[in-house]
Amino acid sequence: QVQLVESGGGLVQAGGSLRLSCAASGGTFSVTAMGWFRRAPGKEREFVAAITWIVGSTNYADSVKGRFTISRDSAKKTMYLQMSSLKPEDTAIYYCAAAKFRVGTYDYWGQGTQVTVSS
């Protein structure tokens, strides 16, 4: 069983930056892709960004394109989300997820890390 643990969340002023990490552990780590999602207060969970594990192809939600960058370090079994030019509307709990076989079908989820952007 793969466990995912997010870190790096916190409080930042609008226009600032944060870097989230998602470390995987346990079991045989073999995934097709990993992604970041977020849930803002009173809203549904939404897709933020994803990356294929071997090739490193990326995909972003329109709302974060040009501001967020997803990356991974295969040797460390860790995924990152560099967030810049943060806006108050980026405030949410950020979750990482891993897809074992199919890109877009996530089998493992982390517990989330809070990101709060003050205006």
Side-chain angles (χ1 to χ4, degrees):
Q1 185 75 5
V2 173
Q3 289 87 43
L4 303 176
V5 178
E6 302 96 337
S7 61
L11 173 65
V12 64
Q13 287 189 329
S17 299
L18 279 176
R19 187 197 197 201
L20 304 183
S21 299
C22 173
S25 63
T28 300
F29 186 71
S30 175
V31 299
T32 298
M34 292 187 71
W36 288 98
F37 293 77
R38 65 187 183 187
R39 188 194 301 272
K43 295 189 176 181
E44 298 283 321
R45 185 178 65 196
E46 65 174 357
F47 168 78
V48 175
I51 186 166
T52 60
W53 200 249
I54 295 177
V55 176
S57 299
T58 59
N59 186 30
Y60 296 91
D62 288 342
S63 59
V64 306
K65 277 181 183 175
R67 301 188 298 121
F68 291 10
T69 302
I70 189 171
S71 62
R72 87 273 188 250
D73 185 326
S74 301
K76 295 182 178 179
K77 296 190 293 184
T78 300
M79 176 180 65
Y80 304 97
L81 185 68
Q82 178 67 50
M83 305 185 294
S84 302
S85 302
L86 283 161
K87 305 174 181 180
E89 51 263 44
D90 294 317
T91 295
I93 300 174
Y94 284 70
Y95 300 90
C96 69
K100 287 194 297 185
F101 305 116
R102 295 184 61 184
V103 175
T105 301
Y106 293 93
D107 305 284
Y108 305 111
W109 292 84
Q111 302 234 338
T113 185
Q114 176 71 47
V115 172
T116 303
V117 184
S118 63
S119 57

